[in-house]
Amino acid sequence: MAMILAPDTAGGHVSVPSAAAVVGVWESVMEATRKGQERNEDPFLWAIQVSSGMSSAGLELPSVELAELLVSHICWGNNVPLMWKFLDKAMGVGIVDPWLVLALLSKRVVPCRHIHPAAYRLYMELLMRHGFSSKSEMRGFNYENFGIQATEPGLLVVLFVFYTVWQLLDATLDDEGLLELVQDKKSRWPTKTQDMEIDDHERFHEKRIEQHVAMHRMNTVIAIEILGKFLQDRVTSRILYLARRNLPSDWAFFIQGLQLLALKSSSIRNSKFITPETLIQLTLDTSKALPRECETSLHQEFHAIMASGSLIPSVRQSHGASRSALWVPIDLFLEDAMDGLIVTAASAVDTLTDLVKSLQAVNGTTWQDTFLGLYIAVLRLIQRDRDPSEGPVPRLDTCLCMLLSITTLAVLNIIDEEESALNENSGCSSTNQRNDNKVLGSRRSELVASLQLMGECEGLLTPPLTVASVANKAAAKAMMYLSGINIGSGFLDSISMNEMPVTCSGNMRHLIVEACIARNLLDTSAYMWPGYVNIRSNQIPRGVPGQVPGWSSVMKGAPLTLPLVHAIVATPASSLVEVEKDHVVLFITRLLSPPRPMDYSGSDSHLIAYGPFLNVVLVGISTVDILQIFSLHGLVPQLAGALMPICEAFGSCSPKISWASTQEQDINSHTVFSNAFTLLLMLWRFDHPPVEHVMGGVPPVGSQLTPEYLLAVRNSQLASTVNMEYRNRNRRLSNLLNPSHAEPIFMSAFPKLKRWYRQHQACIASALSVLDPGNPVHQLVDGLLNMLFKKISRGNQTTSSGSSSSSSSAIEEGSLRLQLPAWDILEVVPFVLEAALTAVCHDKLSPRELATGLKDLVDFLPGSLASILSYFSAEVTRGVWKPASMNGTDWPSPAANLSTVEQQIKKLLAATGIDVPSLDTARSSTPTLPLPLAALLSLTITYKLDKASERYLNLAGRAVIMLSASCPWPCLPIVAALWAQKVKRWSDFLIFSASRTVFHHDDGAVVQLLRCCFSSTLGLNPSPCLSSGGVSALLGHGFGSHLSGGMSAVAPGIFYLRIYPFIRDPMFTAEAIFSLLMMSVRDIAGSGLPQEGLEKLKKTKYNYGQRYGQASMAASMTRVKLVASLGATMVWITGGLNLVQALISQMLPAWFISQNRLEGSDSGEAGRKVAMLGGYVMAYFVVYCGAFAWGVDAAPSGMAKRAKVLGKHLKFMAMALDGKILLGCDLAMWQAYVSGFVSLMVGCMPAWIVEVDVSVLKSLSNGSRHWNEEELALGLLGAGGIQAVGAAAEILIHSAV
């Protein structure tokens, strides 16, 4: 043969046959094949001869050209048994690639299977022999003709296997007449006979029709059996798993056809090797994650232990360190949401939805258990608030909002997410409106099951006294429905409790069910649940109307008669159709934004004409509970956007504009402005001291809630209503947030408000500038000083600082000369206050006169309280004023009860497990306060505790607490002591508030409290009331005087949730949490099962020792998850997204690199257990942190931080595995961490992996394989998207060789 020499890569030469020589080789091959057929030559000898000839000619083996040549030779001119044997042997000895031959045959044989059933049988035989081979390289051939768009060998393998099986499935469906039942009613692959391929019918036994039909039937059975084998084989099943993970749309069609075959096929019943039930099970198995073998060897042990359900307490338990503790993060989130100090711009519905989904994913629980755990957590919240201490904090109304509105909407989000996906291609609406054609998901039925099981939690279902009558009426409604009585809107409010059956008592489950019915999560079939209504028919009241005038009448267009008006005012709407219950807050927001009339032509704002109406609404929504409800619904930005125009308009008018009022004194523009402005300030962290903006390495929680930020969020919400991603998640809210008149607004639209805010910021940044005498502001300052202080000094009139009265004559006289807009007055208030404080320092103004003058100022313009708080807070921070001696002569004295307050604070801390030696309660000198704080405190004491003053006290009180907490000890106890003298019933609240300042000044106290949280949750606290462990020990029953002799011990979790806003350095807290988390591992490893668990095991009849070892490890792993979730929740609540990302990207790598070893991890097998538990607890901790901060779903558009932080952490892990980073921690711990973390990501957080760069995934995968963790490497790459599939397939192929 003629040869051509070509240079190789090493500088030498290789022989390349010429084109003529190649043609000669193929002629020789075909000649040898023809002679072999004639002589009936042994296939093996033929294959050796062909292989030798091709090798001698320098042709590469396996040969693509030879495969094409042989297949073309068979189809259909030489479709004889011997040629099929030649082809089989060629595949066996490796002169042709098996999968390439199968691909070529599938395109030629499958469409002609009815004409050539024997060829189809032989094709399937070759598929059985060679289709499961892992030796194929899939190289050197263009597979585009087969529908495969890929060049990477590993990806080619995945696509080839999947498409081959899919084509075989479609052919089988077609043979059984089932192809018409699939969604597209056709196959993606050529499965029909084409006329041009019809050839000689005289081959084999095809002349005999009866044999032809029999073979066709048997072929169908064989094809089904091959499908089953592909789904069961160790290698091909995993390859198909990779296809499922990365080709979801194609996989959905494939699974639909497979399930159809299992349900409708008649041939499958003739198989001896596979049954319909087996095939159905295989379809379910392939929809799961990697098989058990795909978990790491270490993680197999972990899962085997956790699967021992008989040793794990029921999730239905609500106390102790049981599986109910899996939902501790929900309990902590709910309790944190009740804190009136924190107002958020995000919706608690969205946060709770993401939190529940994250916990369900990481904990691996069913949705039934998840929903039950959620509702039990909210019920525990309500039970903790049954007997709260009095004080200006959110109460039962907020708790009920969380249960009946927020939780219901979160559950609706979760269920709607599933059903939206199910109905996406069906054209059905997935909103909460009824739709008979809507496909319902499994989560809905699991919700039903969870609510039915809830009936067993009788202790948690007892309603608070104030809610008992409503619960009874909900039960009565179900009773009436079952009795056939038509009940309409207003019926339950038209009857008294005396008219109800004596035994018709409702509980919290009845209210939950009604909330779910209102949201179309349930229907009235819930009334028929066993035990839901315990009533006999002869107890049903007779003669009561089934319908009374109410909301239904209004919706039907009835005229607003006086009785109807009274009915709808007295009766809340009872169904979703009547009023969107959770959007009442949004409706109120719209009331604050009346549209500009079309014919309005005035120069002033059209809002001025609505003054009395707006004032009524503003006063009505200014309570702590209502503000917190706005916050829970995520409507703080919308409320802020409605309040700013009101502030701008009414703050720009003269107070001469006034209106008569029948309910209180006449109101003017100052009144409306003050109510709106005070409410606006409550929506952002205005009351917090300015020092928080410069303390710590991580921005404090909520410090971004500035007016600009609130407007940006508000505008974003409105813009997002046209974004499908947002609308799918919040379709009910987005419909209401998209009125035609809504436009984005910016601070520039409110020049007066913007100017005041800039002055507020300037006041924080530096001292006030000196005013020129000719400056108009200087004249206003003089006028205001004369009005507030000069008249009092001249007349030698003093007013007690404890009185709420003021000098009315001075106010009236001065106000006649200061008929100025509110914004003008606010501009000069800081200068007036500075002059007043200066006068006090020089003894020209007494403290009592100062307090009286300040009260006169806020009586004249209540909104001036904002500037007072702004100035005094800044001056306290600057520390330039001399201290005020709280001696009872100049300033009010706390001496009467300060010592008692301090002793109670110390006692409270000690009862919770906190010892603060530096807390010195012995004092010989007179207590002092910073002068601006003393002035502010004296002002707050002058307020009456009435409805009119509540909204102003809420603002001022929060500011005083936050400001006092930032001052040296004992400033806050002094404040608490003085206020306790004024309002004794608030003593518990004030003492608890004052105790929080300890943690602001003492980092050691923070660590002690955190340690108490961990030990109490684990049941390791020596205190009897905290030794039970679990949620009950962590959160207890709130705080209050539940025991004789003063306050009972405050549960450590409650304590922490109330003090973390006072902590200066969140990063220090995160480090302390992590350190305590790792320290708890030793306690977990040594504690094993609780005593009752040991006694239970001793009673078992078999292998107590083995069972104890398994039980001990199971208990340890349960506690590992518990403390990991607790620590992660604390980090997330304390610092939010920023702190979580700083922990993962900075703190964790530094910890691994430093010489950190757990105590007890160096002692043999026990030490290995400690180290492994340490690795697992870190893995769960990091995954929980990420899940809470990032969620488990695909990242929203534009969110790149998750991918960046996670990619950086995985790269660190890969470099450490590769030896490029030297670690200081224990190797067993590191291995447990890596395997645990990656396994949790693969199984619970696949959306995270897709966002990470493929090169990082491959690097980490290679590192894992160095540990012989090939299954872990496969799982990681399998979840990494289509770009990582090839690498995953190559691992599979190599592992099977």
Side-chain angles (χ1 to χ4, degrees):
M1 284 184 189
M3 308 293 291
I4 299 175
L5 294 180
D8 64 9
T9 56
H13 292 81
V14 295
S15 298
V16 178
S18 64
V22 170
V23 172
V25 171
W26 297 132
E27 290 177 350
S28 299
V29 167
M30 292 311 300
E31 180 63 24
T33 302
R34 282 190 292 269
K35 290 182 178 180
Q37 285 183 253
E38 294 172 357
R39 295 194 299 261
N40 197 24
E41 187 174 345
D42 182 271
F44 180 73
L45 295 177
W46 170 86
I48 294 298
Q49 180 183 2
V50 171
S51 175
S52 176
M54 294 182 64
S55 298
S56 299
L59 296 179
E60 184 180 2
L61 297 176
S63 170
V64 173
E65 292 81 0
L66 179 59
E68 294 178 316
L69 191 65
L70 292 176
V71 171
S72 298
H73 183 67
I74 292 176
C75 303
W76 293 105
N78 293 275
N79 182 19
V80 294
L82 186 59
M83 273 308 304
W84 284 92
K85 292 179 181 180
F86 283 176
L87 184 60
D88 176 36
K89 193 57 65 176
M91 298 164 71
V93 301
I95 59 177
V96 293
D97 186 279
W99 283 356
L100 172 57
V101 171
L102 291 173
L104 293 169
L105 287 174
S106 68
K107 189 175 182 181
R108 304 291 296 273
V109 175
V110 175
C112 299
R113 64 191 181 281
H114 293 163
I115 301 172
H116 301 287
Y120 186 44
R121 171 78 62 86
L122 292 171
Y123 160 72
M124 290 190 291
E125 181 65 27
L126 292 179
L127 189 60
M128 287 284 286
R129 291 188 182 186
H130 304 285
F132 301 93
S133 170
S134 58
K135 299 178 181 179
S136 179
E137 298 183 0
M138 303 288 288
R139 300 179 187 273
F141 183 75
N142 184 0
Y143 283 82
E144 291 187 3
N145 293 331
F146 298 88
I148 299 178
Q149 304 289 331
T151 56
E152 188 178 354
L155 181 56
L156 282 171
V157 168
V158 174
L159 296 179
F160 167 76
V161 172
F162 179 40
Y163 290 165
T164 297
V165 175
W166 193 358
Q167 183 189 34
L168 194 64
L169 170 64
D170 281 0
T172 306
L173 289 172
D174 184 42
D175 292 344
E176 298 223 51
L178 300 176
L179 196 59
E180 295 295 321
L181 300 180
V182 301
Q183 186 168 344
D184 289 345
K185 297 185 179 181
K186 63 180 181 179
S187 172
R188 174 175 174 173
W189 318 103
T191 58
K192 301 286 187 179
T193 302
Q194 300 179 23
D195 294 340
M196 67 179 183
E197 292 183 327
I198 297 177
D199 206 338
D200 183 15
H201 291 227
E202 302 300 321
R203 303 290 180 184
F204 302 174
H205 304 285
E206 295 171 13
K207 299 177 181 178
R208 303 176 60 178
I209 297 178
E210 60 277 8
Q211 290 185 348
H212 184 104
V213 173
M215 183 174 288
H216 172 68
R217 291 174 179 172
M218 184 54 64
N219 284 349
T220 304
V221 175
I222 294 174
I224 295 174
E225 292 173 351
I226 293 176
L227 285 173
K229 184 175 180 181
F230 268 101
L231 293 171
Q232 291 172 307
D233 181 79
R234 183 177 183 273
V235 175
T236 56
S237 65
R238 296 182 186 183
I239 291 176
L240 291 174
Y241 160 79
L242 296 176
R244 179 190 72 82
R245 291 294 295 260
N246 297 280
L247 300 169
S249 57
D250 286 350
W251 185 262
F253 287 110
F254 173 72
I255 283 294
Q256 180 193 18
L258 205 58
Q259 292 172 341
L260 178 64
L261 183 67
L263 295 174
K264 301 289 187 180
S265 171
S266 58
S267 300
I268 195 174
R269 291 164 176 78
N270 297 324
S271 173
K272 298 179 181 179
F273 303 102
I274 192 169
T275 64
E277 294 74 21
T278 304
L279 192 58
I280 286 289
Q281 186 60 46
L282 290 174
T283 65
L284 297 176
D285 289 342
T286 53
S287 66
K288 297 178 182 177
L290 280 171
R292 177 61 63 212
E293 300 92 309
C294 294
E295 295 175 352
T296 73
S297 56
L298 289 174
H299 218 56
Q300 287 179 29
E301 178 184 2
F302 162 68
H303 274 294
I305 292 170
M306 292 303 291
S308 180
S310 61
L311 299 175
I312 300 174
S314 170
V315 75
R316 301 171 199 173
Q317 296 179 6
S318 59
H319 301 288
S322 66
R323 287 197 68 184
S324 67
L326 293 176
W327 315 111
V328 162
I330 298 179
D331 289 271
L332 290 170
F333 166 76
L334 296 174
E335 194 64 56
D336 182 56
M338 295 299 105
D339 187 2
L341 281 176
I342 298 177
V343 178
T344 63
S347 167
V349 177
D350 294 341
T351 306
L352 185 58
T353 300
D354 291 336
L355 177 60
V356 172
K357 289 171 60 180
S358 298
L359 289 173
Q360 190 273 338
V362 181
N363 293 337
T365 54
T366 65
W367 279 110
Q368 174 182 322
D369 284 349
T370 302
F371 289 139
L372 184 60
L374 169 62
Y375 275 111
I376 286 178
V378 189
L379 289 171
R380 282 195 292 246
L381 173 71
I382 292 177
Q383 295 302 321
R384 284 194 295 271
D385 199 53
R386 291 180 68 89
D387 187 23
S389 298
E390 289 200 44
V393 292
R395 303 293 295 276
L396 185 59
D397 286 349
T398 308
C399 293
L400 291 174
C401 171
M402 182 64 79
L403 172 66
L404 302 178
S405 180
I406 302 301
T407 302
T408 305
L409 290 172
V411 171
L412 180 58
N413 277 346
I414 293 169
I415 292 177
D416 211 26
E417 177 185 66
E418 179 193 34
E419 294 180 351
S420 295
L422 292 174
N423 289 278
E424 185 176 359
N425 297 323
S426 65
C428 296
S429 170
S430 57
T431 66
N432 60 333
Q433 302 299 323
R434 294 285 186 185
N435 190 324
D436 294 336
N437 297 323
K438 179 179 176 181
V439 179
L440 302 182
S442 60
R443 295 179 187 177
R444 188 181 293 265
S445 60
E446 295 198 58
L447 171 65
V448 172
S450 68
L451 294 179
Q452 290 175 335
L453 285 174
M454 189 188 296
E456 301 175 12
C457 308
E458 296 181 2
L460 292 174
L461 294 177
T462 304
L465 291 177
T466 55
V467 187
S469 62
V470 182
N472 292 342
K473 289 179 179 180
K477 179 181 178 182
M479 178 200 66
M480 297 296 180
Y481 175 84
L482 295 178
S483 304
I485 297 178
N486 180 26
I487 52 175
S489 176
F491 166 73
L492 294 177
D493 293 275
S494 70
I495 62 176
S496 66
M497 295 300 298
N498 294 330
E499 296 175 296
M500 293 184 181
V502 177
T503 58
C504 186
S505 60
N507 56 35
M508 299 305 296
R509 184 169 70 144
H510 293 100
L511 296 180
I512 292 172
V513 167
E514 288 301 317
C516 290
I517 290 175
R519 284 288 163 199
N520 288 336
L521 288 169
L522 302 175
D523 55 29
T524 50
S525 64
Y527 296 157
M528 294 180 282
W529 292 348
Y532 187 78
V533 176
N534 297 316
I535 195 67
R536 296 188 298 272
S537 60
N538 60 1
Q539 294 179 294
I540 300 173
R542 306 296 179 185
V544 293
Q547 181 75 28
V548 296
W551 285 97
S552 295
S553 302
V554 174
M555 297 302 295
K556 293 176 181 177
L560 286 176
T561 61
L562 189 58
L564 183 56
V565 170
H566 290 321
I568 62 176
V569 168
T571 307
S574 63
S575 72
L576 176 67
V577 177
E578 293 163 356
V579 171
E580 285 278 348
K581 286 184 177 179
D582 61 302
H583 300 314
V584 170
V585 284
L586 187 58
F587 177 69
I588 291 173
T589 305
R590 288 189 180 179
L591 291 179
L592 293 174
S593 304
R596 182 186 182 96
M598 297 294 294
D599 57 349
Y600 185 80
S601 59
S603 57
D604 295 333
S605 171
H606 70 284
L607 296 175
I608 302 299
Y610 294 94
F613 168 76
L614 294 175
N615 193 65
V616 170
V617 177
L618 291 168
V619 171
I621 65 174
S622 295
T623 66
V624 174
D625 270 306
I626 292 180
L627 281 181
Q628 199 66 10
I629 289 172
F630 268 97
S631 175
L632 293 178
H633 283 89
L635 290 175
V636 163
Q638 300 297 321
L639 180 59
L643 291 173
M644 289 183 187
I646 298 175
C647 295
E648 188 73 17
F650 286 89
S652 302
C653 342
S654 167
K656 294 180 181 179
I657 300 177
S658 61
W659 303 269
S661 174
T662 58
Q663 298 182 352
E664 55 181 76
Q665 63 182 3
D666 292 350
I667 61 175
N668 57 22
S669 61
H670 279 185
T671 309
V672 181
F673 165 80
S674 296
N675 288 328
F677 193 46
T678 303
L679 186 57
L680 177 62
L681 297 180
M682 295 284 285
L683 303 183
W684 51 288
R685 305 255 296 186
F686 167 79
D687 55 287
H688 284 214
V691 70
E692 75 162 9
H693 296 283
V694 295
M695 299 294 293
V698 177
V701 180
S703 61
Q704 74 277 18
L705 292 185
T706 62
E708 295 100 331
Y709 175 79
L710 290 176
L711 286 183
V713 174
R714 182 247 180 209
N715 296 338
S716 176
Q717 287 176 342
L718 291 176
S720 298
T721 57
V722 299
N723 180 280
M724 289 306 299
E725 181 180 355
Y726 179 89
R727 291 187 67 88
N728 288 339
R729 175 72 178 269
N730 303 278
R731 56 179 52 86
R732 293 164 300 279
L733 186 60
S734 62
N735 289 336
L736 297 174
L737 280 180
N738 195 26
S740 58
H741 63 276
E743 297 290 340
I745 55 178
F746 304 94
M747 282 292 286
S748 58
F750 315 109
K752 299 294 182 63
L753 172 62
K754 183 177 180 179
R755 182 174 180 178
W756 176 87
Y757 182 60
R758 294 291 177 260
Q759 184 188 43
H760 165 69
Q761 292 180 310
C763 186
I764 292 174
S766 61
L768 295 176
S769 58
V770 179
L771 293 176
D772 296 330
N775 192 317
V777 175
H778 191 284
Q779 299 175 7
L780 290 178
V781 171
D782 287 343
L784 200 56
L785 282 171
N786 288 331
M787 185 185 88
L788 299 177
F789 304 114
K790 189 174 181 180
K791 182 68 176 179
I792 298 176
S793 300
R794 285 178 176 176
N796 294 321
Q797 301 175 2
T798 59
T799 303
S800 171
S801 62
S803 172
S804 61
S805 61
S806 54
S807 179
S808 57
S809 60
I811 290 289
E812 292 173 359
E813 179 181 338
S815 63
L816 293 176
R817 291 180 284 114
L818 286 175
Q819 295 294 311
L820 299 173
W823 291 121
D824 293 350
I825 296 175
L826 292 186
E827 185 179 3
V828 305
V829 165
F831 299 99
V832 172
L833 298 177
E834 184 169 75
L837 289 183
T838 303
V840 171
C841 289
H842 292 83
D843 297 325
K844 295 182 179 180
L845 190 68
S846 71
R848 297 195 177 204
E849 291 171 336
L850 173 63
T852 302
L854 293 176
K855 187 60 170 65
D856 289 341
L857 175 59
V858 296
D859 285 344
F860 170 63
L861 178 61
S864 62
L865 182 61
S867 292
I868 294 174
L869 295 175
S870 171
Y871 175 78
F872 281 159
S873 295
E875 292 303 306
V876 169
T877 303
R878 269 187 278 277
V880 297
W881 301 94
K882 68 177 183 179
S885 178
M886 312 301 289
N887 53 20
T889 302
D890 299 318
W891 298 94
S893 172
N897 62 339
L898 177 58
S899 177
T900 302
V901 168
E902 289 180 314
Q903 289 292 343
Q904 287 181 323
I905 290 173
K906 193 168 185 178
K907 181 180 178 181
L908 176 62
L909 293 173
T912 309
I914 302 164
D915 180 27
V916 187
S918 61
L919 186 59
D920 183 15
T921 58
R923 183 176 297 101
S924 57
S925 60
T926 303
T928 63
L929 288 178
L931 178 60
L933 177 59
L936 182 57
L937 174 61
S938 298
L939 170 62
T940 61
I941 294 177
T942 64
Y943 277 98
K944 289 182 178 180
L945 291 182
D946 54 18
K947 194 71 174 178
S949 301
E950 179 184 359
R951 50 192 175 276
Y952 304 114
L953 267 178
N954 288 338
L955 176 64
R958 296 198 314 181
V960 169
I961 290 176
M962 298 302 297
L963 189 58
S964 303
S966 65
C967 295
W969 181 270
C971 288
L972 192 49
I974 292 173
V975 172
L978 287 170
W979 261 98
Q981 293 175 18
K982 180 179 177 66
V983 192
K984 290 185 178 180
R985 66 179 185 273
W986 283 12
S987 294
D988 288 351
F989 165 76
L990 293 168
I991 291 171
F992 180 72
S993 298
S995 67
R996 294 184 287 187
T997 190
V998 173
F999 303 94
H1000 182 75
H1001 300 290
D1002 192 332
D1003 291 339
V1006 176
V1007 175
Q1008 288 186 60
L1009 178 57
L1010 289 170
R1011 181 181 293 111
C1012 191
C1013 289
F1014 279 98
S1015 59
S1016 299
T1017 306
L1018 288 172
L1020 304 176
N1021 195 300
S1023 174
C1025 60
L1026 300 178
S1027 60
S1028 60
V1031 180
S1032 60
L1034 178 66
L1035 297 178
H1037 303 284
F1039 63 93
S1041 296
H1042 303 300
L1043 300 178
S1044 59
M1047 288 184 66
S1048 62
V1050 178
I1054 296 288
F1055 225 138
Y1056 181 78
L1057 291 174
R1058 298 299 176 261
I1059 66 98
Y1060 79 81
F1062 295 82
I1063 297 175
R1064 297 183 179 217
D1065 187 355
M1067 197 63 185
F1068 166 81
T1069 306
E1071 292 171 352
I1073 290 172
F1074 184 75
S1075 176
L1076 291 168
L1077 178 70
M1078 300 310 296
M1079 291 173 61
S1080 67
V1081 172
R1082 182 192 57 186
D1083 297 328
I1084 292 173
S1087 61
L1089 275 182
Q1091 186 63 34
E1092 60 272 17
L1094 292 176
E1095 295 298 328
K1096 178 180 178 182
L1097 281 177
K1098 288 178 182 178
K1099 296 177 182 178
T1100 59
K1101 298 181 180 180
Y1102 60 95
N1103 204 344
Y1104 163 72
Q1106 179 181 356
R1107 294 277 289 174
Y1108 171 71
Q1110 186 185 35
S1112 178
M1113 191 62 178
S1116 297
M1117 288 307 305
T1118 300
R1119 294 182 175 194
V1120 159
K1121 293 181 68 174
L1122 174 57
V1123 296
S1125 66
L1126 172 64
T1129 309
M1130 287 182 162
V1131 169
W1132 173 55
I1133 287 178
T1134 301
L1137 175 65
N1138 289 334
L1139 185 57
V1140 168
Q1141 294 185 155
L1143 182 146
I1144 295 175
S1145 61
Q1146 301 172 25
M1147 194 183 81
L1148 272 179
W1151 192 92
F1152 282 120
I1153 293 173
S1154 61
Q1155 294 294 324
N1156 282 303
R1157 291 180 179 269
L1158 293 181
E1159 182 178 348
S1161 63
D1162 298 326
S1163 54
E1165 185 62 27
R1168 179 177 177 272
K1169 176 183 176 181
V1170 172
M1172 285 179 57
L1173 288 177
Y1176 284 132
V1177 79
M1178 278 192 286
Y1180 272 109
F1181 172 69
V1182 176
V1183 169
Y1184 275 125
C1185 280
F1188 299 158
W1190 296 325
V1192 298
D1193 297 327
S1197 303
M1199 180 182 174
K1201 281 191 175 182
R1202 178 169 78 183
K1204 182 178 180 181
V1205 173
L1206 188 61
K1208 182 179 179 181
H1209 187 60
L1210 292 180
K1211 186 176 182 179
F1212 166 80
M1213 294 168 63
M1215 293 177 69
L1217 290 175
D1218 201 31
K1220 297 179 180 178
I1221 295 178
L1222 184 62
L1223 301 178
C1225 65
D1226 187 277
L1227 179 60
M1229 177 190 296
W1230 170 247
Q1231 188 172 1
Y1233 171 71
V1234 173
S1235 62
F1237 179 73
V1238 175
S1239 297
L1240 286 171
M1241 276 205 310
V1242 172
C1244 309
M1245 313 292 172
W1248 293 6
I1249 302 176
V1250 176
E1251 299 167 4
V1252 179
D1253 187 83
V1254 174
S1255 62
V1256 175
L1257 297 180
K1258 289 182 178 179
S1259 179
L1260 182 58
S1261 174
N1262 291 334
S1264 301
R1265 294 178 68 190
H1266 292 163
W1267 281 346
N1268 295 322
E1269 293 283 3
E1270 292 195 353
E1271 306 298 350
L1272 178 63
L1274 172 63
L1276 182 65
L1277 293 173
I1282 197 69
Q1283 295 178 339
V1285 167
E1290 290 179 6
I1291 292 177
L1292 272 175
I1293 294 171
H1294 293 153
S1295 64
V1297 173

